[in-house]
Each structure stands twice: as C-alpha cells, then as structure tokens.
Amino acid sequence: MKLLAAYPKEIKVFLIASLISSTGGSLMWPLVTMFVFDELGRSMTDAALVIQILSLGGIAGQLLGGSLYHKLGVNRLIVGALALNALALFALPSTSSHWPLFLCNMALVGLFNSMSLPAIQGFIGFRFKAQRAELFNVIYVASNIGVALGTALSGFLADISYMLSFVLNGVTSAVFAGFFLFYLRKVGTAPELAPDLDLVRQRTEAAGTPSGWKLLGHTRIYLYMSIASLFLLVGNSVWNIGVSPFIISEGWPKKFYGFLWTLNGILIFVAQPLVSMLKRWFAQTSTAQMTLSAVFYLAGYAVILGMPSYPGLVLGMVLITLGEMLISPAIPSFISDHADRSAPFYLGLSGGIGAAGRVIGPFFMGSLYDRGGLAPTAWLACGVAVLSVLFFMLHSYMNRNSRRLAR
C-alpha cells in the first residue's frame, strides 16, 4: 500500500471517517450476542433471533440504499441514514427491558446502519475511476482496523457496561453524520465530486438508466457472487453464535474474544504484503480473489472444528482474516468495473443478498450450539464454505469473457 500522503485529500478524509464509524458499528455484533446471552439470561437461540432481525434490517438497508442513490443524492442518503442510526442506538437502553420493542429497535439499527454503505462505495467508485480498485482496498483496511478495534473493545466494555457500549456506538454514528453533513456540502461545490440532487436526476434521465427489473436480468453480474457471499456469511456467524458463547462457557475472560479481533485488525494492516503476493501469484483478477478467499475461509473453519482450543481459534482467525482481506475489496471493485452507472444498484443488491447469510446463519448456529456446543456450528461453517467456493467458481466461469454493461 502507498503512504497516506500519496492519496487524494478526499480519501484521507474517508479513511479517518471509516475508521471512526466502523469502530462504533463493530461493537454491536458481539455485544448484542453477549448482552442477550449474559445480561438478559436468554438462550443462544434468542440471541440468534436478535442477530437475525439486525441482519434483516441490514438487508433492507442495503437494497434501499442502492436504489435511492440516484434519487436522493449522496448527501441526503449518507447523512440521513447515519443520523437515524444514531437515534436508534440511543433508544436501545430504554427498550432493552421490553423484548418485542427491543427487537423492533434492533431492526431499525440494522436498516439505518446499512443504508449508507452503497452510497459511500458508489461515491468512491464514481469519483476515482482510475484508482478505485486500490482505493476500495485502502478504505477496507481503514474500516476493518476500526472493526477489529471496536470488536476488541467490546469484550472489555462488556465487563464494564453493555449500555455504555450501545451509547458510545450511537455517539460515533452521530459524529459521523455531522462530519458528512459538512464534508459533502463542501465537496458538493465541485460537480465532479458530488453533484446536487437535480443534476443527478437530469443525468440519470438523460442516460436512460435501466429500470430495476431490467437490471435484475443481468444475473452474471451479481447473482452467483452474491449467493457465494451469502454462504460465507452463514459460516462467519460461528464467531458470534459459536465462538463467543464457547469462550463464556469455558470460563475464559470475555477479553479473550476481544483479543481475537485485535489480531484480526493487526493482520489486516501488517499482512497486506502477503495478500498482495497472493494476488500477484495466485489471484490476479477480482473473480479469482473471491474464490481464493472462500478457500481460506474453509481452512479457517476446519481449524476451529479440528482444534477447539484457544490456539485453534487464533489460527482460525488468521486464515479467515486472509480470506476477508481478499474478498472485501474484490466485490465492489468487480461491480464498479462491470456495472458502470448501475454500480450503486448492484452494490446494494449484492450486499443485501449476501447479508441474508447473517439472517440464516444465526438461526441454524444458535439451534446447533444449544444442542451440541461449538462442534456442530463449525461443521456447518465448513459445509457452507465448500458451497461458497463452488459458487465463486461458477461466477468466475460466467464472467470469463464479460464486458461492462451498456450505459
């Protein structure tokens, strides 16, 4: 990766903002699981239900965000979604004692948190066409350092106060919304950076942007890749619904869970040369990177299954992190390269389909964990990782001679 000074000023701003936002957002997943299981005293099936509802909201948010990109404009979509997300997070402490209300609130958190994702990715893809593959990776690194930092903090904060963690998450979302409110207004004075709403509508109409139903017909762009991502996220639920309660049940300190994600963040930063080497030697295209990513995920789940100990969890995290580093920049890069003006729609659509794995995964993982502990959840993770490898291979085959969609 280049030094930070080598990137455009706008990217430096997005790096800092993504780091802050992802740190707050990443607190939710492990904390919600531990909160329901530990604080509320409910079963892992109930904890999985909460994660499912959070994920369903996320699916709706990604689909809605991608569809509204050209209708609302970048400014309104990003700022509005983040501000509403902050309000939903602030409401969590007062709704936690009422189970149905708590579930509804979690759905809103998932919805508003995900609405801004396609807009941010689309903004970067349109603004920096020549560099977008590299910049998607840079933003990913900054974002996931925040994810690792937030998740690592979650274990420590859980020992102090769950409610404090929820409130801090709301604060970071509110700060992020305020930042974008002023930043996007500033860059909005330059049409090539962030055109206003009327200009967006004029350009969209002039270009004859296809309808959503027509865009859905181009299945090679999104379908097989999205199904493969769905399977990966089903398997990745093992961290929240398998590993997290396993650590608690073994009587280990909750911070051990945080240490795993600290390792994740360190690797995302220091293992960039290794990932660059893997791309150069084994996976030069974005489609090949997706397939290789799924192979690493499969290897990580296999290690968790075969070594149900803390060293095994550490090694599994190393392998899965390498897979994560390969796939996260590859998907938005592929879509931006092949979908042109329709990229925000496909970014939201693929993200929404993939996120369905976070709904399906917790349901099965929670039931399996309640019946047999960590082992059956790891078996499920291995099985769906195999399916993910096969669907990514199919996606690569279907796009072997693909061209960009017509504008």
Side-chain angles (χ1 to χ4, degrees):
M1 286 176 48
K2 298 178 182 177
L3 295 174
L4 184 59
Y7 292 108
K9 180 180 179 181
E10 294 88 347
I11 288 300
K12 298 174 188 176
V13 172
F14 269 93
L15 283 171
I16 297 171
S18 296
L19 179 65
I20 295 172
S21 175
S22 60
T23 299
S26 63
L27 291 171
M28 288 303 297
W29 291 92
L31 274 174
V32 166
T33 303
M34 288 188 285
F35 175 71
V36 174
F37 183 70
D38 187 30
E39 186 78 8
L40 299 183
R42 289 180 173 267
S43 68
M44 280 308 301
T45 302
D46 286 339
L49 174 63
V50 177
I51 298 297
Q52 280 183 292
I53 291 174
L54 186 64
S55 301
L56 281 171
I59 293 171
Q62 292 225 43
L63 294 173
L64 192 59
S67 300
L68 294 177
Y69 183 90
H70 289 298
K71 296 178 181 178
L72 294 181
V74 175
N75 301 43
R76 296 184 183 183
L77 186 54
I78 294 179
V79 175
L82 291 171
L84 290 171
N85 185 52
L87 292 176
L89 287 166
F90 288 141
L92 279 177
S94 61
T95 61
S96 60
S97 59
H98 305 281
W99 184 246
L101 197 57
F102 178 71
L103 295 179
C104 293
N105 202 354
M106 291 305 301
L108 293 177
V109 170
L111 174 70
F112 297 132
N113 185 57
S114 297
M115 277 183 64
S116 61
L117 297 180
I120 293 174
Q121 291 178 327
F123 180 87
I124 294 171
F126 289 143
R127 172 66 180 91
F128 307 101
K129 291 184 178 181
Q131 298 175 276
R132 58 189 171 199
E134 180 182 0
L135 293 178
F136 278 132
N137 187 60
V138 173
I139 296 295
Y140 157 75
V141 171
S143 177
N144 279 275
I145 289 174
V147 168
L149 178 61
T151 312
L153 287 173
S154 66
F156 299 98
L157 290 172
D159 285 329
I160 301 172
S161 170
Y162 288 106
M163 294 306 174
L164 174 63
S165 304
F166 295 149
V167 172
L168 287 177
N169 194 0
V171 170
T172 57
S173 187
V175 169
F176 201 33
F179 159 77
F180 267 114
L181 176 64
F182 292 102
Y183 173 71
L184 291 177
R185 281 182 178 179
K186 180 180 178 181
V187 300
T189 57
E192 70 275 11
L193 293 182
D196 61 34
L197 186 58
D198 291 336
L199 187 56
V200 167
R201 286 173 175 165
Q202 291 171 11
R203 289 180 177 179
T204 301
E205 293 172 0
T209 302
S211 66
W213 290 110
K214 184 175 181 180
L215 292 175
L216 286 173
H218 298 288
T219 54
R220 67 171 176 81
I221 294 291
Y222 70 93
L223 183 60
Y224 312 110
M225 172 183 69
S226 300
I227 293 174
S229 299
L230 183 153
F231 284 130
L232 276 191
L233 289 176
V234 168
N236 219 34
S237 297
V238 74
W239 291 108
N240 291 322
I241 309 298
V243 172
S244 173
F246 175 73
I247 287 176
I248 294 174
S249 299
E250 290 293 306
W252 300 339
K254 298 184 185 75
K255 61 185 178 183
F256 274 26
Y257 185 76
F259 288 153
L260 291 173
W261 292 100
T262 301
L263 173 63
N264 174 268
I266 293 172
L267 285 172
I268 287 171
F269 186 73
V270 303
Q272 285 295 320
L274 175 58
V275 172
S276 297
M277 183 186 70
L278 290 172
K279 291 179 180 179
R280 186 168 59 252
W281 289 359
F282 304 108
Q284 297 182 2
T285 66
S286 57
T287 53
Q289 290 159 23
M290 296 176 202
T291 304
L292 183 59
S293 166
V295 172
F296 273 105
Y297 272 92
L298 173 59
Y301 298 144
V303 168
I304 294 174
L305 176 63
M307 297 175 58
S309 61
Y310 198 71
L313 298 180
V314 170
L315 180 55
M317 176 60 80
V318 170
L319 293 170
I320 289 170
T321 299
L322 292 175
E324 178 188 344
M325 293 171 70
L326 284 165
I327 193 173
S328 293
I331 289 179
S333 178
F334 174 85
I335 292 175
S336 296
D337 287 340
H338 290 77
D340 201 57
R341 284 187 57 82
S342 302
F345 176 85
Y346 287 114
L347 286 167
L349 181 61
S350 62
I353 294 174
R358 292 198 181 102
V359 179
I360 301 170
F363 174 78
F364 289 106
M365 293 285 183
S367 300
L368 289 173
Y369 187 90
D370 285 339
R371 294 177 183 178
L374 180 63
T377 64
W379 271 112
L380 176 60
C382 289
V384 293
V386 171
L387 293 175
S388 181
V389 171
L390 295 176
F391 270 93
F392 275 132
M393 291 175 66
L394 178 59
H395 172 75
S396 180
Y397 176 78
M398 295 297 294
N399 287 278
R400 63 195 184 283
N401 297 314
S402 63
R403 298 179 181 178
R404 178 179 293 186
L405 289 179
R407 293 187 61 170

